[in-house]
Amino acid sequence: MQPVAVIGAGPYGLSAAAHLRARGIPVRVFGEPMVSWQAHMPAGMLLKSTPVASNIDAPQPGHTLVDYCDEAGLPRLVTDEDIIPVETFVGYGQWFQQKIVPDLERVRVVSVDGRPGGGFELKLDSGEQFTARAVVVATGLSGLSRLPSELAAAVPDGPSPAGPVSHSAQHHDLTRYADQDLLVVGAGQSALETAVLAAEAGARVRVVARGRRSVAFGAPPWDQPKLRPESPFGRAWSLYAFSYHAGGYRHLPAATRHYLTRRVLGPLGAWWLRERFERKVEAREVRRIVTTGTRDGRPVLSLETLGGRARELAADHVIAATGYRVDLAALSFLGHGLRARLATSRGTPKLGAGYVSSVPGLYFTGMLAGSSYGPVMRFVCGTEFASPRLAGHLAAAHRGA
Ligand SMILES: Cc1cc2nc3c(=O)[nH]c(=O)nc-3n(C[C@H](O)[C@H](O)[C@H](O)COP(=O)(O)OP(=O)(O)OC[C@H]3O[C@@H](n4cnc5c(N)ncnc54)[C@H](O)[C@@H]3O)c2cc1C
């Protein structure tokens, strides 16, 4: 029987593979296990999500973060006050992979094309070519980092840690900026934590954020409002609905969905980061960055202050912690024929029930499914909603074929 190809070995790809296998569906899984966490996030990072919201979902018991801690002899991470080091989370993901997907293939998929009679033709960078009856795209953050034009202006050849401007996804070791003047652009957890870690490694760091009071931190668990329902992201009705009723999301009007996917759970530092930030990092809140140039090879930001005045800020380097944007055009492995058949909305795939796209047999999960299934798809805990539904849909389509 032709296998299902799962492209991606981060939390979503591994979880989808676990659910498909549990239904007896043959699966081939491709990618570097947990590479986004290991290579594209800073060393020493702590997860913003709580332990209960950081499980990679599996159909069989024994695969939670706590199970991993027990087996690895690590302290149990259980309460909302237990903070997960990224190194522990990478270890958890790799352990999950070895238990459930031991035959993971650490190769890249270079192309996926539809076959005339149904099914898909895949090419791997190993040179192998094979046919799959269905494809699950779980490529997560890969290739989706976003650099706004006012920062891109300084780096016509693209961002780079060795040049004037880089993207936060290009960093793992921030010690290279020790003793340097660093500007970090952004106000999300990634910006604030990158700034703190670089400052703790000896850089002089300023965070440049758009808008008054844009640098803010969440409430600690003991100060969360008690009369609102609990969700993996904190206590709030909206967060509860997005977490447990993600299935209704795709029925909202498109403009509302795109707005909510961007704005809900938007920029906010974790409660435990505030003190470290205030000790070491300076925040510059501005109306906007107008453009970025270079002077003697050093980046210079031209800004408009909150009061409307023009200002310049120079540094040795700028890190743009400006996030990620889903755009199918960035998934270069999707063949032109397939791309032309995909129904999209603002560059994102329009998905139906069970995460299937408009091309039968082609599924998208994780961040790529965010505009259809909501902001929870940007986080690991979304695997609990996504994976059983995706596997259930694929299994039913398989039975009906
Ligand atoms: C700085 C930062 C901090 C974060 N902190 C948290 C947090 O605390 N909690 C939380 O829930 N979420 C957090 N997130 C979001 C988190 O990254 C995502 O929820 C999660 O990684 C998504 O998992 P994924 O499996 O979809 O993709 P990824 O983890 O990005 O994995 C992508 C996989 O696709 C593979 N791949 C890509 N292209 C190909 C190809 N052509 N062929 C084969 N394989 C391919 C890669 O090798 C990799 O295995 C954070 C994100 C960032 C940037």
Side-chain angles (χ1 to χ4, degrees), residues 6-14 30-37 40-42 45-50 53-54 89 105 107-110 138-142 168 189-190 193-194 233 324 333 365-368 376-381 383:
V6 175
I7 311 176
Y12 275 88
L14 295 173
F30 305 98
E32 281 299 316
M34 302 299 284
V35 71
S36 293
W37 299 83
H40 301 290
M41 297 184 196
M45 185 186 104
L46 302 173
L47 267 66
K48 189 176 174 191
S49 56
T50 57
S54 303
F89 190 67
E105 298 176 56
V107 292
R108 285 187 72 74
V109 173
V110 291
T139 49
L141 307 174
S142 312
S168 54
Q189 170 71 2
S190 168
E193 197 169 13
T194 295
F233 307 107
Y324 299 80
F333 55 84
T365 187
M367 189 179 173
L368 298 165
V376 69
M377 293 297 123
R378 301 202 317 255
F379 301 92
V380 174
C381 63
T383 56

Side-chain angles (χ1 to χ4, degrees), residues 10 20 36 56 65 67 143 188 231 233 237 252 317 352:
L20 289 165
S36 293
I56 303 174
L65 180 65
D67 295 321
S231 86
F233 307 107
W237 285 104
L252 295 171
H317 187 76

Side-chain angles (χ1 to χ4, degrees), residues 83-325:
I83 301 165
I84 310 166
V86 71
E87 290 76 13
T88 302
F89 190 67
V90 169
Y92 166 49
Q94 291 173 340
W95 170 85
F96 186 101
Q97 176 257 310
Q98 281 151 18
K99 285 185 73 162
I100 295 194
V101 197
D103 52 352
L104 171 74
E105 298 176 56
R106 298 174 77 152
V107 292
R108 285 187 72 74
V109 173
V110 291
S111 68
V112 181
D113 290 291
R115 283 165 58 89
F120 301 87
E121 196 70 39
L122 282 85
K123 283 195 195 123
L124 309 178
D125 68 359
S126 61
E128 187 191 342
Q129 195 161 331
F130 74 100
T131 305
R133 44 182 298 268
V135 172
V136 177
V137 181
T139 49
L141 307 174
S142 312
L144 301 183
S145 47
R146 169 182 166 268
L147 188 67
S149 56
E150 61 272 21
L151 292 167
V155 281
D157 295 333
S160 149
V165 177
S166 59
H167 189 274
S168 54
Q170 295 175 304
H171 294 284
H172 179 62
D173 180 5
L174 291 163
T175 58
R176 67 181 296 152
Y177 299 115
D179 293 324
Q180 296 196 22
D181 285 314
L182 191 64
L183 295 172
V184 177
V185 176
Q189 170 71 2
S190 168
L192 306 182
E193 197 169 13
T194 295
V196 166
L197 289 165
E200 289 173 349
R204 294 174 293 278
V205 188
R206 286 166 291 173
V207 159
V208 181
R210 243 181 353 181
R212 206 177 293 281
R213 283 190 283 280
S214 49
V215 174
F217 296 86
W222 54 90
D223 278 346
Q224 292 274 336
K226 297 274 180 296
L227 293 173
R228 297 185 193 155
E230 224 172 303
S231 86
F233 307 107
R235 286 176 176 269
W237 285 104
S238 59
L239 300 180
Y240 177 84
F242 290 129
S243 306
Y244 300 111
H245 299 284
Y249 196 80
R250 67 196 167 85
H251 302 297
L252 295 171
T256 312
R257 281 187 288 110
H258 288 292
Y259 175 80
L260 291 172
T261 307
R262 259 195 344 268
R263 299 307 289 265
V264 172
L265 297 164
L268 191 68
W271 61 274
W272 43 261
L273 193 63
R274 179 193 290 272
E275 206 183 301
R276 287 165 65 198
F277 184 91
E278 288 173 352
R279 206 180 314 135
K280 292 257 182 196
V281 180
E282 193 185 318
R284 289 289 176 94
E285 293 175 342
V286 303
R287 186 174 290 170
R288 67 186 180 115
I289 297 172
V290 181
T291 190
T292 308
T294 53
R295 198 176 293 143
D296 303 326
R298 300 175 81 223
V300 182
L301 299 186
S302 300
L303 309 167
E304 190 181 326
T305 65
L306 290 175
R309 310 256 284 263
R311 278 274 325 257
E312 282 190 350
L313 279 184
D316 294 310
H317 187 76
V318 174
I319 298 181
T322 42
Y324 299 80
R325 174 176 293 153

